[in-house]
Amino acid sequence: MKDALILGGGFAGVWSAASAVRLARSAGSDRLRVRLISAGDDMVIRPRLYERNPDKMRIDLDRLLNPIGVERLNARVESIDAASQTVMAHGADGVLVTASYDRLVLATGSQLKRPAFPGAAHAFNIDTLNAAVALDIHLHHVSQLPPRARYTAVVVGAGFTGLEIATELVGRLRDVAAGQEVRVILVERAKVLGPELGDVPRPVIVDALDTLGVERRLGRTVASATETQVALDDGEVIPAATLIWTVGMSASPLTAQIPAERDRFGRLLVDEYLRVTPTVYAAGDTAAAVADGGHPTIQSCQHAQPMGKYAGHNVAADLLGLPMLPFTADPYSNCIDLGAAGALTTVGWERTVDKEGSEAKAIKHAINTQWIYPPTDSADALLAKAGHFSNSAYAQEIS
């Protein structure tokens, strides 16, 4: 019996498990055991944490893994010993457990870099389910705060996440403001909005922000904060009851325990099969792979899902002596939610605008509520989708 051990219960981890099981079953092999360790019982639909009711943005992992026979351990990984091929983890009951492996898939995701300015503890974020729920609870109770600026929110970072939460906040605050003035202020250190999104989609983004009344403070950042105000580095003080930080992501710190090269985000450099070392593979936000046109993959479910499928397939193939598949990403595209102003879809790494407004919003809704969800309670449905290595709705199964 060979052991494939997957760390992480997000998109990359779940699809790694399903893809490994799929290949073993299609090969008629009973020589592969697939196990998964996750620090929680749910697969969090992380791309939706900017929305209302974030507590609903999760799936019971057992509804995904039990039907396909994957053993799951609810534990927090403490260490990886690549030399002895063992993992140490603290279970939910506090007991330290050891798991050995023949092949490992590291799919423990990424995390937000926390700010260090005075008063940073007052900043909310939407990086995790718990953090997003804490923000949601806060927003439902702002009407009970002192009246000065209780319906004013400052969002730091005008990248993908910052734009989505800032535009969504307008509506979420209006839900509780009972007709009173709502202000959302977007603070960005760069001189332009969405610096990593490029120049092409920016006019559409600006129009959306203008439509919603989202204010901008460009070329600035936060110097300090309290529960009732945010001070910027140019001396402006903004009375605000809500501060949200969205700046900076880094790969799971577990990547540092693998003896291999990492990129500036802490991601492990992988080969065409998503292999880091002869016994370790990486997928999702922990892996720096090459996408279409030689571009590095980005930390998003768009790349995490197919990377997970390829990694799981290749781990199983490696252990069973079957052909491996080189990772091939779909042509890059993007879809940004812009709240009540609609959405924006782009194609290519130049991010050429494809659709905007209500048409793009319909696509974003389909992505968020249908396309990124794995099938539950059905081994056949999950394993069939694990064979669709492309994100395209028209992808053909690779047999």
Side-chain angles (χ1 to χ4, degrees):
M1 183 69 71
K2 297 293 186 179
D3 279 301
L5 181 62
I6 296 157
L7 307 184
F11 289 100
V14 166
W15 284 118
S16 289
S19 189
V21 170
R22 175 190 170 277
L23 182 60
R25 290 191 182 184
S26 65
S29 175
D30 59 0
R31 297 186 294 111
L32 182 67
R33 179 171 67 161
V34 181
R35 294 175 294 162
L36 185 145
I37 300 177
S38 65
D41 291 324
D42 298 308
M43 174 183 176
V44 177
I45 309 302
R46 199 175 179 196
R48 300 191 66 187
L49 293 183
Y50 68 94
E51 296 182 50
R52 294 168 172 81
N53 305 313
D55 188 55
K56 296 180 179 179
M57 311 308 179
R58 54 181 171 174
I59 304 172
D60 185 340
L61 279 167
D62 289 338
R63 296 182 62 190
L64 299 168
L65 302 178
N66 282 352
I68 61 174
V70 172
E71 176 186 338
R72 184 181 67 85
L73 175 63
N74 183 352
R76 184 171 299 279
V77 175
E78 301 294 338
S79 64
I80 302 170
D81 189 331
S84 66
Q85 297 178 209
T86 57
V87 170
M88 301 289 288
H90 273 107
D93 56 4
V95 176
L96 189 65
V97 296
T98 302
S100 60
Y101 62 85
D102 294 295
R103 295 293 183 274
L104 179 76
V105 178
L106 185 61
T108 45
S110 58
Q111 61 188 29
L112 182 69
K113 294 180 180 179
R114 298 295 191 265
F117 56 78
H122 297 298
F124 292 92
N125 68 77
I126 54 170
D127 189 47
T128 65
L129 182 66
N130 288 341
V133 169
L135 172 63
D136 195 52
I137 292 171
H138 166 79
L139 293 176
H140 279 93
H141 290 86
V142 290
S143 61
Q144 302 171 19
L145 299 177
R148 186 168 182 254
R150 60 187 169 191
Y151 300 121
T152 297
V154 174
V155 177
V156 186
F160 192 99
T161 302
L163 289 168
E164 291 204 319
I165 185 61
T167 52
E168 185 75 6
L169 265 180
V170 176
R172 291 174 68 176
L173 283 171
R174 285 175 178 164
D175 286 348
V176 297
Q180 297 184 53
E181 181 187 11
V182 165
R183 292 180 70 198
V184 176
I185 302 162
L186 194 55
V187 177
E188 167 58 51
R189 183 186 294 274
K191 300 289 187 181
V192 295
L193 292 166
E196 76 279 13
L197 298 175
D199 297 334
V200 179
R202 190 167 297 124
V204 179
I205 294 170
V206 170
D207 285 347
L209 297 180
D210 287 343
T211 297
L212 296 172
V214 175
E215 302 173 36
R216 280 87 81 185
R217 303 290 191 272
L218 302 178
R220 301 179 234 181
T221 191
V222 175
S224 64
T226 69
E227 289 184 342
T228 59
Q229 65 182 33
V230 178
L232 303 185
D233 58 355
D234 66 346
E236 181 182 5
V237 176
I238 304 171
T242 305
L243 171 63
I244 303 174
W245 183 264
T246 72
V247 179
M249 299 296 295
S250 61
S252 163
L254 289 172
T255 58
Q257 300 191 27
I258 307 300
E261 189 176 355
R262 296 181 294 157
D263 71 1
R264 64 189 180 94
F265 299 108
R267 301 183 300 177
L268 293 162
L269 302 190
V270 297
D271 68 11
E272 61 181 328
Y273 303 111
L274 303 182
R275 183 171 48 195
V276 183
T277 74
T279 59
V280 176
Y281 293 68
D285 289 359
T286 61
V290 177
D292 56 311
H295 293 274
T297 52
I298 61 172
Q299 292 175 306
S300 77
C301 72
Q302 177 181 177
H303 284 146
Q305 292 184 89
M307 289 171 77
K309 294 174 183 180
Y310 278 99
H313 177 99
N314 288 335
V315 159
D318 194 3
L319 291 172
L320 299 176
L322 300 171
M324 294 196 289
L325 294 172
F327 170 66
T328 304
D330 286 338
Y332 181 68
S333 62
N334 211 340
C335 190
I336 305 174
D337 200 338
L338 297 172
L344 165 69
T345 65
T346 68
V347 294
W349 292 94
E350 302 80 12
R351 297 181 175 87
T352 301
V353 174
D354 180 38
K355 295 178 177 63
E356 56 185 282
S358 59
E359 188 178 10
K361 188 76 167 186
I363 294 173
K364 184 66 172 180
H365 180 75
I367 292 171
N368 278 8
T369 61
Q370 300 174 43
W371 298 350
I372 63 176
Y373 278 74
T376 55
D377 305 316
S378 172
D380 290 344
L382 186 66
L383 296 181
K385 195 168 182 179
H388 295 167
F389 287 75
S390 167
N391 286 329
S392 168
Y394 306 101
Q396 298 298 312
E397 180 172 337
I398 298 175
S399 59

